[in-house]
């Protein structure tokens, strides 16, 4: 029975990824996401994300940026870190929501 | 007068001969109707219900599992088992388009709804005291639904499981069991052919019918 459970866990684990309805999925409208859908030139193909006030409000691998009223975006160090989001995404400095004037590198269109 | 007596005597002779023949026929028919040893006909059918938990994930529904079954004895050890099974889980939306525009579902272990009809064989093994273990194998047709994502589909899972049961009262047995389901499923929303896997664990009661 343990072998069966292990096999099931392995199977379900194969379905996970860093992109989810919470953060990162492509979207056209809010219904495509858990909370909100960002669209426009800054978010090519649309991107699901969460509203935030601090970094603690965001999933791992993301930061709270002072844009669109405070949203979580994937953090990065070089443009290659954003390639998984598709074409049109870059790694650019953006102002943090919780610390005015302080910037952090995140994935955003540009 | 003598002729009438002779005729009556002949008639009696014929009648007695016919009666004797009829008795022989009845006797032979009666002997052919002797009870043939059968598996205890009183215990040849059972019904039962099991409640438990089904664990799915991805595009395999899980949740509260309810299973009603009918069993018919085929031999001393083997029973034909037919069942109607349901699993009821969360209807939360968990599907999305990934960055390659592919529609993927990442449902939890207890999401979705499923209804299934199945048929299979249950085989009993020697147990200890009143406990009797069994294994089962079979095949089902399972309808799948994830309402939050408008995902619908069907699966043809093969069932493999086992359990143990014990008689707790006259014609009343309690059962604990686990069943693994696996097979292909076909889903809408561009998901197409996907593997179906779920594990259900439960306990219930079965009744021997007259």
């Amino acid at each position: 029975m343990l072998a069966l459970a292990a096999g099931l866990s392995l199977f379900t684990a194969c379905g996970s990824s860093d992109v989810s309805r919470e953060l990162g999925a492509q979207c056209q409208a809010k219904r495509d996401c858990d909370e909100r859908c960002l669209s426009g030139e800054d978010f090519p193909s649309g991107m699901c994300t969460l509203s935030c006030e601090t970094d603690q409000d965001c999933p791992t691998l993301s930061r709270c940026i002072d844009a669109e009223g405070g949203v979580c975006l994937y953090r990065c160090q070089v443009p290659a870190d954003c390639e998984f989001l598709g074409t049109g995404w870059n790694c650019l400095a953006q102002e943090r929501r919780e610390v005015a004037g302080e910037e952090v590198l995140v994935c955003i269109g540009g | 007068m003598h002729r009438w007596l002779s005729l009556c005597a002949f008639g009696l002779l014929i009648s007695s001969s016919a009666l004797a023949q009829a008795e022989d026929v009845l006797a032979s028919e009666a002997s052919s109707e002797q009870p043939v040893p059968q598996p205890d006909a009183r215990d040849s059918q059972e019904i039962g219900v099991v409640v438990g938990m089904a664990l799915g994930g991805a595009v395999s529904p899980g949740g509260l599992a309810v299973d009603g079954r009918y069993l018919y004895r085929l031999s001393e050890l083997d029973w034909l088992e037919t069942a109607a099974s349901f699993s009821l889980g969360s209807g939360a939306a968990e599907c999305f388009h990934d960055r390659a525009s592919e529609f993927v579902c990442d449902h939890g272990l207890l999401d979705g709804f499923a209804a299934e009809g199945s048929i299979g064989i249950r085989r009993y093994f020697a147990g200890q005291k009143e406990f009797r273990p069994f294994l089962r194998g079979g095949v089902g047709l399972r309808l799948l639904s994830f309402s939050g994502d408008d995902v619908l589909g069907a699966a043809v899972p093969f069932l493999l499981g086992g359990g143990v049961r014990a008689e707790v009262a006259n014609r009343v047995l309690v059962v604990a069991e686990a069943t693994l389901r696996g097979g292909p499923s076909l889903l809408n929303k561009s998901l197409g052919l996907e593997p179906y896997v779920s594990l259900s664990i439960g306990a219930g009661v079965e009744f021997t019918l007259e």
Side-chain angles (χ1 to χ4, degrees):
Chain A
M1 196 56 64
L2 284 174
L4 296 180
L8 186 70
S9 301
L10 188 64
F11 168 75
T12 54
C14 291
S16 64
S17 86
D18 291 337
V19 174
S20 68
R21 287 176 59 92
E22 192 175 56
L23 179 67
Q26 283 189 2
C27 60
Q28 294 181 323
K30 184 180 175 182
R31 67 173 180 276
D32 298 328
C33 307
D34 278 353
E35 187 181 317
R36 59 186 294 189
C37 175
L38 302 176
S39 58
E41 289 183 359
D42 284 344
F43 310 100
S45 301
M47 189 179 87
C48 294
T49 191
L50 303 174
S51 298
C52 61
E53 291 296 330
T54 71
D55 289 344
Q56 281 67 45
D57 298 332
C58 296
T60 312
L61 306 177
S62 65
R63 291 294 183 89
C64 185
I65 302 306
D66 191 22
E68 304 285 335
V71 290
C72 302
L73 296 180
Y74 286 104
R75 66 186 181 189
C76 59
Q77 292 183 318
V78 295
D81 294 341
C82 304
E83 285 179 353
F84 75 98
L85 291 171
T87 57
W89 289 83
N90 207 341
C91 183
L92 301 174
Q94 297 290 306
E95 190 169 340
R96 295 179 66 188
R97 177 74 173 176
E98 63 182 292
V99 184
E102 186 175 320
E103 291 189 332
V104 64
L105 289 170
V106 292
C107 294
I108 194 167
Chain B
M1 186 68 172
H2 183 263
R3 290 177 60 187
W4 281 108
L5 285 174
S6 299
L7 196 59
C8 284
F10 181 75
L12 285 170
L13 190 64
I14 295 295
S15 298
S16 62
S17 172
L19 280 172
Q21 282 186 344
E23 282 176 356
D24 288 342
V25 169
L26 287 172
S28 66
E29 283 181 356
S31 67
S32 69
E33 286 177 0
Q34 290 294 320
V36 175
Q38 304 240 348
D40 190 353
R42 191 193 72 168
D43 297 338
S44 65
Q45 297 181 83
E46 295 178 350
I47 57 171
V49 62
V50 167
V51 177
M53 194 70 74
L55 305 177
V59 292
S60 303
L64 174 69
V66 181
D67 179 318
R69 74 271 307 264
Y70 167 78
L71 296 113
Y72 183 82
R73 175 137 78 176
L74 300 173
S75 69
E76 191 62 32
L77 298 177
D78 297 327
W79 292 66
L80 179 71
E81 184 170 10
T82 59
S85 309
F86 303 89
S87 72
L88 304 100
S90 161
E94 297 291 348
C95 299
F96 58 90
H97 287 92
D98 67 12
R99 299 310 302 185
S101 297
E102 190 174 335
F103 190 68
V104 294
C105 292
D106 193 17
H107 291 104
L109 297 176
L110 304 176
D111 292 341
F113 170 81
E116 176 192 270
S118 66
I119 187 166
I121 299 292
R122 179 191 291 192
R123 166 161 286 195
Y124 287 98
F125 297 90
Q128 292 184 334
K129 296 183 179 176
E130 66 269 30
F131 296 99
R132 196 151 186 216
F134 63 84
L135 288 176
R136 74 151 62 92
V139 64
L141 176 61
R142 198 167 181 85
L143 303 178
L144 318 173
S145 169
F146 295 95
S147 59
D149 298 298
D150 296 325
V151 168
L152 295 170
V156 183
F158 294 94
L159 286 67
L160 184 62
V164 63
R165 73 175 195 172
E167 187 164 11
V168 293
N170 185 32
R171 300 184 182 283
V172 181
L173 306 101
V174 292
V175 59
E177 61 184 40
T179 303
L180 179 68
R181 289 174 169 83
S185 67
L186 191 61
L187 299 137
N188 68 347
K189 303 270 281 193
S190 76
L191 286 165
L193 200 61
E194 292 278 344
Y196 175 90
V197 179
S198 71
L199 175 67
S200 58
I201 301 168
V205 60
E206 294 179 342
F207 302 94
T208 302
L209 300 179
E210 288 277 356

